[in-house]
Amino acid sequence: MDDERSPKAYTYFVPDYFPGFSCKIGTCRSACCSGWPVSISRENYFHLLGVDCTADLRRRLDCSMRMADYPTPECYAYFEHRYDGECALRMADGRCAVHAELGEDVLADVCRLYPRGVRRSECGEECSAANSCEATLELLWEMDSPIAFADVKLPLKPPELSPLSPDLPTREERMMLISYLQEEGVSPAAAIARIGESLGCDAVLGNTADLSIALDAVSTMLTHLGERNETIRALSARILTGADRADYTERKQAFLIRFPRWTSFVCRVLVNHLFFEQFPCSRKAVQRQAEFRALCAIYGLVSYFAVNCIGENGSESELIDAYAALFRLVEHSNFTAAVNFFFRGMGSSCASMLLL
């Protein structure tokens, strides 16, 4: 007989690395709550206001939560950050004061689950971990084979999930697109182009002139995104500085010699991103084109960022930290909308990012 005190197990469809994921707690080089606005639901907000805790934690909680300017049930309040960009609830040893004193179950859903993302599909719940977490990327880096997927039972209580959208493609359709990135001997760029063709999107590769236009558009877009967030601004500056674009191909070859596993690693990173985001999120042609453009831009930035910011002298941890920061930009901003705004009217030029 099962022990009634044991946490209840729920069935999820997950990538094979996921059961081995665990939070690094205070040992993260870049904590998930640093520098980013963390929103909480109305239910979580009032629960934390009334939780029984020590006087010190009560002061922390009362001073750290603020109402959203336009509150909704899902985004009702935010955790404030200190002057140094750290969450006011983060202790000197890196741990969360709420978690340390009251345990995981008292945390707001976003803090309890992140970087784990629970999604609903027609086949049941899915779960994976976001690329914006360095622990996720470290697991993907250590893998030596494509990502496999399976149903597993996990003691992970899901949040309240919205009803399944009738516009969402089936899991089978999404997994077919993911499989293109896992074919042996196929480059990430070729796999992404095939994804675009399957979606009926413009996947024609651009030329060198298109690449220059695309990078100019990316520069403008990142400058715009950086206006509202200091972390994005710092990240944008790193992406857009470095050696001249003219010798990019030569420098990338040197980078690949330094990191011979980079291509297979990037394929796993992109597979994980597509699964986490349930790509594509719509059957509508316009939305699919928008998502495909964003995917092209992500791959271009993944390449350009690695070569310009890490180069042939960087370390594995620096590469992972760079990608975690990059995917924070993707996941924590209106990235898809920004890509499609700044690339509007450029036709196939967005796909020139694949040349990177």
Side-chain angles (χ1 to χ4, degrees):
M1 180 180 295
D2 293 337
D3 187 342
E4 293 183 357
R5 295 170 297 179
S6 299
K8 181 179 178 181
Y10 299 82
T11 299
Y12 297 94
F13 186 66
V14 302
D16 55 0
Y17 73 81
F18 187 80
F21 173 85
S22 62
C23 178
K24 296 173 69 173
I25 312 177
T27 63
C28 266
R29 294 182 295 274
S30 180
C32 55
C33 57
S34 298
W36 294 95
V38 179
S39 63
I40 57 177
S41 68
R42 179 170 56 194
E43 179 182 357
N44 289 162
Y45 173 76
F46 285 107
H47 175 71
L48 288 171
L49 279 183
V51 73
D52 186 17
C53 60
T54 62
D56 177 67
L57 182 55
R58 172 49 54 203
R59 282 192 294 271
R60 283 175 177 262
L61 282 169
D62 290 346
C63 294
S64 67
M65 296 188 294
R66 68 168 176 85
M67 294 282 293
D69 293 335
Y70 303 98
T72 66
E74 296 77 22
C75 179
Y76 192 76
Y78 287 92
F79 286 122
E80 289 281 19
H81 287 88
R82 302 190 304 247
Y83 68 93
D84 59 358
E86 296 291 346
C87 175
L89 293 167
R90 195 178 185 209
M91 302 190 299
D93 62 3
R95 295 181 299 154
C96 171
V98 175
H99 188 283
E101 181 175 322
L102 302 175
E104 178 180 324
D105 290 342
V106 179
L107 294 172
D109 283 340
V110 63
C111 301
R112 177 175 63 87
L113 291 172
Y114 182 86
R116 298 164 292 190
V118 180
R119 309 285 188 263
R120 176 166 286 165
S121 79
E122 82 287 355
C123 298
E125 275 67 54
E126 302 175 351
C127 194
S128 58
N131 286 336
S132 51
C133 171
E134 67 189 56
T136 303
L137 294 175
E138 287 169 348
L139 286 173
L140 296 176
W141 178 264
E142 293 301 324
M143 295 178 66
D144 55 9
S145 60
I147 297 175
F149 297 83
D151 286 312
V152 300
K153 287 189 176 294
L154 299 170
L156 176 65
K157 181 182 178 182
E160 290 292 329
L161 296 174
S162 302
L164 185 65
S165 169
D167 193 40
L168 185 69
T170 66
R171 180 187 291 172
E172 182 179 14
E173 292 173 292
R174 292 186 289 111
M175 296 306 294
M176 179 189 69
L177 299 178
I178 282 175
S179 71
Y180 298 159
L181 283 161
Q182 308 228 69
E183 293 183 9
E184 186 175 356
V186 177
S187 70
I192 293 173
R194 187 178 176 190
I195 288 172
E197 292 169 1
S198 296
L199 295 175
C201 297
D202 181 5
V204 178
L205 295 181
N207 54 36
T208 304
D210 290 331
L211 175 60
S212 180
I213 294 172
L215 288 174
D216 287 339
V218 168
S219 174
T220 305
M221 178 187 73
L222 293 180
T223 300
H224 165 75
L225 292 174
E227 291 177 354
R228 296 180 296 172
N229 187 288
E230 183 176 348
T231 306
I232 293 180
R233 186 161 56 249
L235 175 60
S236 302
R238 289 188 62 192
I239 292 174
L240 299 172
T241 56
D244 189 86
R245 298 174 188 174
D247 64 348
Y248 177 83
T249 301
E250 180 180 336
R251 288 183 291 109
K252 184 170 183 178
Q253 290 305 314
F255 170 82
L256 291 174
I257 292 173
R258 170 69 182 87
F259 294 100
R261 300 173 58 195
W262 180 84
T263 300
S264 59
F265 169 61
V266 163
C267 284
R268 290 191 292 273
V269 168
L270 293 174
V271 164
N272 194 55
H273 175 69
L274 296 191
F275 184 76
F276 184 85
E277 296 292 339
Q278 289 191 312
F279 177 97
C281 297
S282 175
R283 297 179 185 276
K284 298 176 181 178
V286 173
Q287 180 61 29
R288 288 189 169 194
Q289 180 68 57
E291 291 185 64
F292 178 67
R293 282 189 171 188
L295 176 60
C296 291
I298 288 170
Y299 175 66
L301 289 175
V302 163
S303 299
Y304 198 71
F305 189 81
V307 174
N308 265 10
C309 299
I310 306 302
E312 59 186 294
N313 299 314
S315 66
E316 293 176 6
S317 62
E318 287 175 325
L319 179 64
I320 287 172
D321 290 349
Y323 281 1
L326 176 58
F327 276 95
R328 287 186 184 186
L329 185 154
V330 172
E331 296 167 8
H332 299 169
S333 71
N334 56 346
F335 185 82
T336 296
V339 167
N340 282 273
F341 178 80
F342 288 102
F343 280 84
R344 68 194 186 282
M346 293 176 63
S348 64
S349 295
C350 71
S352 66
M353 297 298 290
L354 297 181
L355 293 174
L356 295 172

